[in-house]
Amino acid sequence: MASKQLPRVETLATALRGEAWKTDTARALDYPVFFWITRGQGRFMVDCRLRGITANTAVFIPRNTLFSYDMFAQPQGMVVSLPNDDFADFPKRPALVRAAQMQTQAELTGLIDALSRELSHERTGQRRAVQAHVMMIAVWLDRLLAELPAETLGKSDQLLSKFSHVVSIGHESGKSVGGFASDLNVTPTHLTRLTQGAVGKPASAILNERIINAACEALLHTDQPIKAIAMRLGFSSPAYFTRAFQAQTGQNPTTFRKSRLA
């Protein structure tokens, strides 16, 4: 999303249909996103920490934050994708909070509805009005977070958070899990033991999912040749990239691009 663009508001169902790959695989976005789940259940993985969610839960994901989500039980909700140009003072860290009070729930639903209406057609003062609506969503989130006890991460969670960050931004480096573990001054075995215990996946799977999600986005939203995508993501050859991509998605890159764009 370009820095001067306006936010995008869509239903959770629309967002799910528009996902490039499976939502329960690790990815990171280059813009912040705000989820408002009004019905159903599911779970979010954020920075290699798994959290169950129920109805009336808000989840804020800052840009370049590793996350995934898995929704079930006929979920409903809204998703607000935010520009990168400081539209509002949202938290610098991920946030997940449940709105228990009906009045608080109605407030957020009303704010998102108002933002969606403002975005529905261009008119005088639209950008300022949109900024005001987004700012009020940020204030709503701040107020709920202020009611929660301060959270202190243990050493294991701190390490998982660091691993998540370096994978989210360093997935194009061509590094293996061993390389990332070395940068974090731990062994690959220890790192995998932590990720397996926290989210039920080895560190290598999280890294591979991040890379394949980046490949899916490039295949669908750019016209880059497959060879260029493979090189950018650190693969030694297009053939190696094709094998890795097909092993994860069940399709080769060319078929995937054609089938999704058809």
Side-chain angles (χ1 to χ4, degrees), residues 36-56:
W36 174 225
I37 309 300
T38 57
R39 176 180 173 180
Q41 297 178 330
R43 56 187 178 185
F44 271 73
M45 185 282 289
V46 184
D47 282 348
C48 286
R49 299 176 68 202
L50 202 59
R51 299 278 298 274
I53 63 167
T54 59
N56 305 312

Side-chain angles (χ1 to χ4, degrees), residues 212 235 239-249:
I212 297 302
F235 288 90
Y240 180 34
F241 168 64
T242 295
R243 288 196 298 271
F245 188 89
Q246 186 157 2
Q248 292 287 328
T249 67

Side-chain angles (χ1 to χ4, degrees), residues 15-253:
L16 288 169
R17 288 195 299 270
E19 289 284 0
W21 193 31
K22 298 182 296 184
T23 65
D24 62 348
T25 56
R27 87 282 307 281
L29 303 173
D30 61 359
Y31 54 87
V33 62
F34 182 87
F35 293 84
W36 174 225
I37 309 300
T38 57
R39 176 180 173 180
Q41 297 178 330
R43 56 187 178 185
F44 271 73
M45 185 282 289
V46 184
D47 282 348
C48 286
R49 299 176 68 202
L50 202 59
R51 299 278 298 274
I53 63 167
T54 59
N56 305 312
T57 298
V59 184
F60 175 67
I61 309 292
R63 68 189 301 261
N64 295 327
T65 297
L66 197 71
F67 79 103
S68 66
Y69 63 104
D70 189 13
M71 300 301 304
F72 29 89
Q74 297 182 322
Q76 293 181 7
M78 302 297 293
V79 182
V80 182
S81 301
L82 298 160
N84 288 324
D85 58 347
D86 291 333
F87 240 76
D89 190 19
F90 277 90
K92 303 303 180 186
R93 296 177 58 85
L96 189 152
V97 60
R98 185 173 185 274
Q101 303 297 322
M102 291 184 63
Q103 180 179 349
T104 308
Q105 300 164 13
E107 286 176 358
L108 180 57
T109 298
L111 289 170
I112 295 176
D113 286 347
L115 173 60
S116 182
R117 288 194 299 272
E118 187 62 44
L119 290 168
S120 64
H121 60 280
E122 187 175 349
R123 53 182 171 173
T124 301
Q126 182 189 46
R127 185 172 180 83
R128 284 181 296 155
V130 167
Q131 287 176 317
H133 290 310
V134 172
M135 180 64 75
M136 288 305 300
I137 294 174
V139 170
W140 180 95
L141 181 60
D142 282 345
R143 287 174 174 171
L144 257 68
L145 291 175
E147 298 174 1
L148 300 178
E151 184 180 41
T152 302
L153 296 181
K155 289 185 178 180
S156 294
D157 284 334
Q158 289 180 30
L159 179 58
L160 288 172
S161 180
K162 291 177 181 178
F163 172 65
S164 297
H165 179 66
V166 295
V167 167
S168 71
I169 64 174
H171 61 286
E172 298 180 354
S173 65
K175 286 183 181 179
S176 65
V177 166
F180 285 112
S182 178
D183 291 344
L184 296 170
N185 297 314
V186 297
T187 66
T189 300
H190 179 63
L191 184 59
T192 286
R193 187 182 301 118
L194 290 181
T195 60
Q196 192 76 52
V199 298
K201 295 178 180 179
S204 58
I206 294 170
L207 173 59
N208 288 338
E209 288 175 2
R210 173 67 181 107
I211 293 170
I212 297 302
N213 265 304
C216 290
E217 291 293 331
L219 288 167
L220 296 186
H221 302 302
T222 76
D223 57 1
Q224 286 184 311
I226 291 172
K227 180 179 180 180
I229 294 173
M231 292 181 61
R232 180 168 62 81
L233 291 175
F235 288 90
S236 57
S237 70
Y240 180 34
F241 168 64
T242 295
R243 288 196 298 271
F245 188 89
Q246 186 157 2
Q248 292 287 328
T249 67
Q251 294 179 298
N252 64 49

